[in-house]
Amino acid sequence: MIGKLKHNLLLACLVISSLTVFYLGRYALECHHKIDHNGKLQQVLSNGRSLNYVSGTGLKNNSNRFVYNKDMPLIFIGGVPRSGTTLMRAMLDAHPDVRCGEETRVIPRILGMKHMWSKSVREKQRLDEAGVTDEVLDSAMQAFLLEIIVKHGEPAKYLCNKDPFALKSLTYLSKIFPNAKFILMIRDGRASVHSMITRKVTIAGFDLSSYRDCLTKWNRAIETMYNQCLETGFNKCLPVHYEQLVLHPTTWMKNVLKFLDIPWNTAVLHHEEMIGKVGGVSLSKVERSTDQVIKPVNIEALTKWVGKIPHDVVREMPAIAPMLAKLGYDPYANPPNYGKPDATVIENTKRVVRGFFQLPEFLQEHPEVEVKKIKERVRNVLQKEMPITKD
């Protein structure tokens, strides 16, 4: 009896041992498979995400695969609104290797939210307690911004983003995108403010009924971006003065492309010819600058502000906007001497005055764009040449 019981127990142990070995072996195989899978996944993530796309010919094949990651050489264009950011991105968009596209609007907002989370000690503590550390947030921001930049337009060798106030977070963007470069557009604050007021460009925090308030806010915004540009270094951030860009477009676009390590292409000097074309310049029907960048580079907007700013604000200009002097503008000059335009720019301006520029079809159909008013406005600017004679 006892011998039979021992035999049964031994048999039971053998069965249990066999089952244990079987399941342990199966589990080991599953673990190996998961480790191998995760290893491949990690390799994919380190190389970047990929995107299949249809080429300009309408054909899709295996070669049309675009890989993107945080280490790609992104370009960010920014500055205070009405400072030439749209012109710069349109000129770059004309380059066959570059795609900027319209403003996304969401990028500066999500960056602003991230700044608020980091600035609040209590919110930072709550996020850390929840395991949402700076590393987690940075990774999420990289992924979110990349998806927006990559997928809101056609793939290109060089991708850029133009959301003016994104450069308020220039230092942070430089941290999460280590190979990114930044173009900070700078314009005489008096001209920027006059433009936003007369064109009724709504900007959060700017009181468009007050030149004093808008100039104060302009000063604060450009100071923030300029200081971050200096901190990041001129090897990664290039300040570009709007006035010099429109006076000397060839010189400055060569400087810009050299800074970005992008080969020179004369197409950047004729962005208006690339509007609406495949691989060219895509414009928004609702952005305020669209009706201006359809024209060739010209000097019709340089001194529109002269005589339009209230006298009390003009008298106190150095105190209201001290960044004017810091950026090289004379706060007492009305009008200032920005320099002498290149001959090609003078010819472009004459063409604009005479209305000899092509209006894209989609703008002709859009009710918000009044062609006659555009042409009437520019005809009043120049008869022969702008009164700008100093080099």
Side-chain angles (χ1 to χ4, degrees):
M1 183 70 177
I2 294 175
K4 189 174 181 179
L5 181 61
K6 287 182 178 179
H7 179 270
N8 291 336
L9 287 172
L10 287 171
L11 185 61
C13 288
L14 180 61
V15 172
I16 292 172
S17 298
S18 299
L19 289 171
T20 301
V21 171
F22 173 78
Y23 281 107
L24 284 174
R26 184 177 176 182
Y27 180 75
L29 287 173
E30 289 178 352
C31 286
H32 177 76
H33 174 72
K34 289 178 179 178
I35 290 171
D36 182 61
H37 174 71
N38 288 337
K40 290 180 179 177
L41 178 61
Q42 186 61 43
Q43 183 66 34
V44 170
L45 290 176
S46 65
N47 290 337
R49 298 173 177 82
S50 65
L51 172 72
N52 287 320
Y53 67 96
V54 178
S55 68
T57 62
L59 301 176
K60 185 174 182 180
N61 55 56
N62 291 333
S63 64
N64 290 338
R65 180 172 289 273
F66 179 76
V67 177
Y68 56 101
N69 57 47
K70 68 179 180 63
D71 295 315
M72 65 192 302
L74 294 171
I75 304 163
F76 289 91
I77 301 170
V80 179
R82 312 306 303 165
S83 295
T85 56
T86 302
L87 176 62
M88 173 56 72
R89 82 87 172 165
M91 295 176 80
L92 283 178
D93 256 334
H95 195 291
D97 292 337
V98 181
R99 192 268 288 160
C100 298
E102 300 85 348
E103 292 181 17
T104 71
R105 297 182 63 82
V106 298
I107 287 179
R109 294 179 186 184
I110 194 68
L111 287 169
M113 291 175 64
K114 169 63 173 64
H115 178 69
M116 289 177 62
W117 296 334
S118 302
K119 191 176 180 180
S120 169
V121 176
R122 178 174 293 183
E123 191 64 26
K124 178 71 168 60
Q125 184 179 13
R126 288 173 176 171
L127 291 172
D128 288 339
E129 287 294 319
V132 186
T133 62
D134 286 340
E135 291 75 16
V136 173
L137 279 174
D138 289 350
S139 179
M141 291 292 290
Q142 286 169 347
F144 180 86
L145 297 183
L146 270 176
E147 291 296 300
I148 296 294
I149 293 171
V150 170
K151 294 184 178 179
H152 89 107
E154 290 294 317
K157 186 175 181 180
Y158 300 95
L159 295 178
C160 83
N161 165 254
K162 192 278 285 190
D163 280 299
F165 278 148
L167 262 59
K168 282 186 173 183
S169 300
L170 194 158
T171 303
Y172 178 68
L173 286 169
S174 180
K175 172 189 171 186
I176 63 175
F177 296 117
N179 294 320
K181 288 191 175 182
F182 306 86
I183 297 175
L184 175 61
M185 293 302 299
I186 297 171
R187 186 182 184 185
D188 190 322
R190 295 164 293 189
S192 294
V193 165
H194 176 70
S195 180
M196 65 180 69
I197 288 177
T198 56
R199 294 176 66 86
K200 298 179 173 59
V201 180
T202 303
I203 303 171
F206 284 65
D207 179 2
L208 297 183
S209 67
S210 169
Y211 273 90
R212 183 183 296 271
D213 178 79
C214 287
L215 280 162
T216 301
K217 302 291 175 52
W218 170 87
N219 191 83
R220 188 180 305 160
I222 194 61
E223 182 177 26
T224 297
M225 289 184 270
Y226 186 68
N227 286 344
Q228 290 187 50
C229 185
L230 294 178
E231 179 184 342
T232 303
F234 290 146
N235 62 320
K236 296 195 69 176
C237 179
L238 178 68
V240 176
H241 288 257
Y242 167 80
E243 294 82 8
Q244 299 311 310
L245 176 65
V246 299
L247 289 170
H248 314 294
T250 302
T251 298
W252 274 96
M253 287 310 295
K254 284 184 176 180
N255 290 341
V256 168
L257 291 179
K258 183 178 180 181
F259 166 74
L260 297 173
D261 295 318
I262 297 175
W264 170 250
N265 192 300
T266 56
V268 299
L269 301 178
H270 309 285
H271 70 279
E272 74 282 0
E273 297 175 4
M274 299 299 295
I275 294 174
K277 295 183 179 179
V278 175
V281 183
S282 174
L283 294 178
S284 168
K285 296 178 182 179
V286 296
E287 286 185 27
R288 294 285 187 173
S289 299
T290 292
D291 67 334
Q292 294 178 302
V293 296
I294 60 174
K295 297 173 279 190
V297 177
N298 64 85
I299 51 178
E300 56 106 357
L302 284 187
T303 55
K304 281 185 175 181
W305 59 270
V306 176
K308 303 296 195 300
I309 301 176
H311 295 301
D312 62 312
V313 177
V314 171
R315 284 195 305 270
E316 300 174 42
M317 192 64 69
I320 295 172
M323 283 299 293
L324 283 172
K326 187 172 183 179
L327 296 173
Y329 298 103
D330 184 350
Y332 296 102
N334 294 279
N337 275 315
Y338 295 127
K340 182 180 179 180
D342 294 342
T344 54
V345 176
I346 294 175
E347 289 304 311
N348 285 347
T349 307
K350 290 178 179 179
R351 285 174 53 206
V352 169
V353 170
R354 295 166 186 157
F356 294 164
F357 61 91
Q358 184 64 38
L359 196 69
E361 291 183 7
F362 81 87
L363 286 181
Q364 293 177 5
E365 299 169 356
H366 199 265
E368 294 182 11
V369 179
E370 301 178 48
V371 181
K372 290 183 179 179
K373 287 187 178 180
I374 296 173
K375 292 184 176 180
E376 286 173 6
R377 187 170 67 247
V378 297
R379 282 195 185 101
N380 294 328
V381 177
L382 184 68
Q383 296 301 322
K384 293 183 178 180
E385 293 184 9
M386 286 287 288
I388 301 175
T389 55
K390 185 178 178 181
D391 289 315

